[in-house]
Amino acid sequence: MKLSTVAKLLSQDQTQVEIETKGWVRTFRAKRFIALNDGSTINNIQCVIDFENTDEAILKRITTGAAVHIKGTLEESQGKGQSVEVKVTTIEILGDSDPEEYPIQPKKHSFEFLRENAHLRTRTNTFSAVMRLRSSLSFAIHKYFNENGFYYMHTPIITGSDAEGAGEMFRVSNLDSKNPALTENGDIDYSQDFFGKETNLTVSGQLEAETYAMSLGKVYTFGPTFRAENSNTSRHLSEFWMIEPEVAFMDLAGNMDLAEDFMKSVLSYILEHNKEDLEFLEQRLVQEDKSKPQAERSDMTLIEKLKFVVDNNFKRVSYTEAIDILRNCKPNKKKKFKYLINEWGADLQSEHERFLVEKHFKCPVILFDYPADIKAFYMRLNDDGKTVRAMDILFPGIGEIVGGAQREERLDVLKEKMAAINIDEKELWWYLDLRKYGTAVHSGFGLGFERLVMFATGMSNIRDVIPFPRTPQNAEF
Ligand code: 4AD
Ligand code: MG
């Protein structure tokens, strides 16, 4: 007989049929009722044992966490809470659990505890729902780009260019750490290292993606990126996944349109395809909200929030306008911000971004035309000589979720900007070549995948939306 998933059984109309399924026991009560889950859905199927005709030794082995193989008949359920159930004819224990030691007991666990048991945490409803949504979002991202004429490009993970300036890097080396080769000056001699030069894990695939945009037209990357910053926040990982589209002949306005359409599309996809998981996570948040003071409770449910983003325009605001709003806002005047906004040119902290999105505009915001001094060298300089064609997208509850720009396509301007921050032209000779041979306006952005998953699931800590988080002082598993 063909094995059925729990999802398939639960959605099957025809009852009184023989079925066969495998999964893990979530609970076993009254020596009769197994709640079985196999990961195919948030819902368990109830499997009813005829305990009088089942060996006592087998009954003892049906414990939370055990893997079982069940054969039986699918029947209309007598009990509440499910439409069908399985009347078990045979049960085989595939893998025993240990009811005393098994960490995932059928009770509420703290997220901290589950992080320490990240290898088992997807056996809970919350984490299985989050990870199914993560998978769905990845698929929706590839689908969007595929349907819109983009090519998927794999940018290198080990990079030899350390000039991107997006963050601190992790070195990749196989030199003997106790006794590394040294130069005459006593510095580490990377010419004797594996690649004959200093190499690092990439912080972004953007510069390489630009090379492909300038030949294939529309490309995107979706891969892991690494940052060695010591940021122990609920929104930073040392290893995270980033989606980076890059498009030739597209300016900043086109970049904003693309980002907005793309984000709405992937969120619509999960609203359509992951209803049960979203409903479960929504209920979890409703319960969590009840224990919070009134002022901190959210005014929209998770699904309302997602629909709101899909159905409303993102507000487009220049950095200069944003600074005016921030300078004159209550928390700034009353010195409630940790970093007060005094003048144009100030870098925005997450407290400012969240004020703009959550308190002032109450919708996703695209900030653009930032001061050149606080943004990367490759962003296109505006005619005012002091701002660049940068854009950041800010989301409620998250802050910055996307960072991007129209790229500087003029060779002379790019060289000047590199010289000003001491980037050696030899280091990025290939990047400059793009401006020498057939240069053109082009733009792109980076979406932090885990921040998107946080928004989509309502999870408040980024460590809970990636299977095995890497953060400072933590690389277990
Ligand atoms: O703003 P960032 O640093 O932009 C870039 O790397 C550009 N090269 C992207 C491009 O234009 N192609 O990073 C982009 C996004 C951020 O907006 C944020 O969502 C996410 O990546 N991000 C992080 N996510 C988790 N942990 C971290 N440490 C992150 N740093 C950035
Ligand atoms: Mg950024």
Side-chain angles (χ1 to χ4, degrees):
M1 197 186 306
K2 206 170 151 255
L3 216 56
S4 298
T5 61
V6 171
K8 173 125 192 293
L9 294 177
L10 288 173
S11 62
Q12 197 160 309
D13 294 332
Q14 204 189 358
T15 51
Q16 299 308 323
V17 286
E18 301 284 297
I19 64 93
E20 191 174 338
T21 191
K22 293 180 183 177
W24 292 272
V25 175
R26 282 289 176 84
T27 56
F28 183 42
R29 66 185 169 83
K31 278 190 175 178
R32 279 196 77 182
F33 303 106
I34 299 175
L36 190 77
N37 192 282
D38 66 351
S40 59
T41 157
I42 187 96
N43 299 309
N44 304 325
I45 192 158
Q46 174 157 286
C47 302
V48 188
I49 304 258
D50 174 8
F51 68 94
E52 280 162 355
N53 293 309
T54 307
D55 196 345
E56 189 66 28
I58 294 280
L59 288 176
K60 279 215 176 95
R61 292 170 65 198
I62 306 176
T63 60
T64 298
V68 296
H69 180 183
I70 282 174
K71 291 181 188 169
T73 327
L74 192 67
E75 299 197 333
E76 259 173 61
S77 178
Q78 308 303 310
K80 269 198 241 146
Q82 68 266 327
S83 59
V84 291
E85 63 187 24
V86 176
K87 189 175 163 202
V88 178
T89 42
T90 64
I91 178 164
E92 180 194 354
I93 311 290
L94 298 172
D96 288 282
S97 181
D98 181 331
E100 307 288 299
E101 303 264 316
Y102 184 53
I104 313 297
Q105 296 292 326
K107 61 161 194 171
K108 212 168 156 37
H109 293 289
S110 73
F111 286 162
E112 289 77 14
F113 171 81
L114 290 171
R115 249 168 252 151
E116 288 163 14
N117 289 282
H119 60 308
L120 295 172
R121 68 179 172 170
T122 32
R123 295 188 186 195
T124 65
N125 284 334
T126 300
F127 283 90
S128 66
V130 167
M131 294 308 162
R132 272 189 297 270
L133 277 158
R134 183 179 165 107
S135 170
S136 240
L137 283 165
S138 308
F139 176 74
I141 287 165
H142 286 299
K143 181 172 181 287
Y144 178 86
F145 287 123
N146 182 270
E147 288 173 354
N148 287 281
F150 284 72
Y151 299 108
Y152 180 28
M153 176 198 178
H154 299 103
T155 45
I157 289 171
I158 300 175
T159 176
S161 69
D162 63 355
E164 278 167 59
E168 295 290 308
M169 300 176 113
F170 290 102
R171 184 169 305 135
V172 176
S173 169
N174 75 343
L175 288 175
D176 182 350
S177 58
K178 284 205 190 104
N179 191 17
L182 299 177
T183 62
E184 280 173 10
N185 306 336
D187 298 330
I188 293 183
D189 184 3
Y190 289 109
S191 71
Q192 297 199 38
D193 204 348
F194 190 87
F195 296 105
K197 65 189 289 196
E198 190 177 340
T199 51
N200 293 285
L201 293 179
T202 188
V203 293
S204 153
Q206 177 199 322
L207 303 195
E208 289 90 349
E210 280 185 53
T211 70
Y212 271 42
M214 296 309 285
S215 52
L216 298 180
K218 297 207 264 185
V219 298
Y220 72 105
T221 73
F222 186 173
T225 49
F226 307 86
R227 301 203 182 170
E229 288 141 39
N230 200 359
S231 322
N232 249 313
T233 79
S234 59
R235 301 176 316 123
H236 286 88
L237 290 166
S238 315
E239 174 181 291
F240 64 99
W241 288 65
M242 185 152 55
I243 297 100
E244 296 182 274
E246 193 70 32
V247 181
F249 314 117
M250 184 176 79
D251 63 8
L252 189 71
N255 206 20
M256 293 189 207
D257 292 342
L258 172 67
E260 185 169 342
D261 187 53
F262 162 63
M263 301 203 43
K264 287 178 172 173
S265 161
V266 299
L267 293 175
S268 304
Y269 182 89
I270 56 162
L271 281 168
E272 193 181 330
H273 293 89
N274 294 72
K275 249 179 140 201
E276 287 180 337
D277 286 328
L278 287 173
E279 276 161 6
F280 174 82
L281 292 170
E282 175 165 277
Q283 278 315 307
R284 190 192 81 72
L285 291 166
V286 168
Q287 292 309 319
E288 195 180 81
D289 249 14
K290 285 185 185 158
S291 63
K292 288 183 184 167
Q294 193 71 39
E296 284 171 34
R297 293 185 193 169
S298 36
D299 41 10
M300 275 189 237
T301 69
L302 177 63
I303 294 174
E304 282 169 352
K305 240 173 50 183
L306 297 178
K307 287 193 172 146
F308 181 85
V309 170
V310 169
D311 294 337
N312 290 282
N313 291 336
F314 295 7
K315 182 87 188 161
R316 301 180 187 193
V317 185
S318 74
Y319 167 90
T320 304
E321 288 171 72
I323 285 291
D324 278 343
I325 293 166
L326 289 168
R327 223 181 344 211
N328 296 314
C329 75
K330 249 194 204 162
N332 200 53
K333 291 198 155 153
K334 293 196 165 167
K335 301 197 170 16
K336 289 272 157 62
F337 282 148
K338 193 162 162 227
Y339 298 91
L340 295 179
I341 298 284
N342 295 315
E343 56 197 52
W344 193 92
D347 203 355
L348 300 185
Q349 305 296 325
S350 105
E351 57 181 344
H352 311 126
E353 297 174 341
R354 294 187 60 170
F355 173 84
L356 290 170
V357 174
E358 289 158 28
K359 299 281 185 312
H360 191 83
F361 291 110
K362 298 189 185 340
C363 71
V365 173
I366 311 183
L367 286 187
F368 62 93
D369 283 352
Y370 281 76
D373 290 348
I374 58 170
K375 288 290 182 186
F377 73 93
Y378 52 71
M379 298 185 176
R380 195 185 195 282
L381 192 64
N382 279 312
D383 293 342
D384 62 12
K386 57 176 195 171
T387 60
V388 286
R389 304 245 79 190
M391 67 174 209
D392 275 7
I393 302 186
L394 316 178
F395 260 39
I398 306 287
E400 180 192 335
I401 192 163
V402 163
Q406 183 176 322
R407 317 307 185 189
E408 183 55 75
E409 85 284 12
R410 298 163 297 184
L411 182 64
D412 51 339
V413 182
L414 187 59
K415 278 186 174 175
E416 260 172 51
K417 290 185 78 180
M418 284 167 60
I421 52 168
N422 294 319
I423 300 178
D424 191 346
E425 285 182 22
K426 278 190 230 124
E427 185 88 45
L428 285 179
W429 61 275
W430 50 274
Y431 191 68
L432 292 169
D433 266 4
L434 300 177
R435 280 75 185 165
K436 273 192 211 157
Y437 310 122
T439 193
V441 165
H442 62 288
S443 306
F445 62 84
L447 165 67
F449 185 51
E450 284 71 23
R451 293 198 185 166
L452 176 70
V453 183
M454 284 175 82
F455 182 74
T457 57
M459 298 296 279
S460 54
N461 193 316
I462 200 163
R463 295 168 177 81
D464 296 331
V465 300
I466 186 164
F468 298 105
R470 270 80 183 95
T471 49
Q473 299 297 311
N474 167 43
E476 191 66 42
F477 307 99

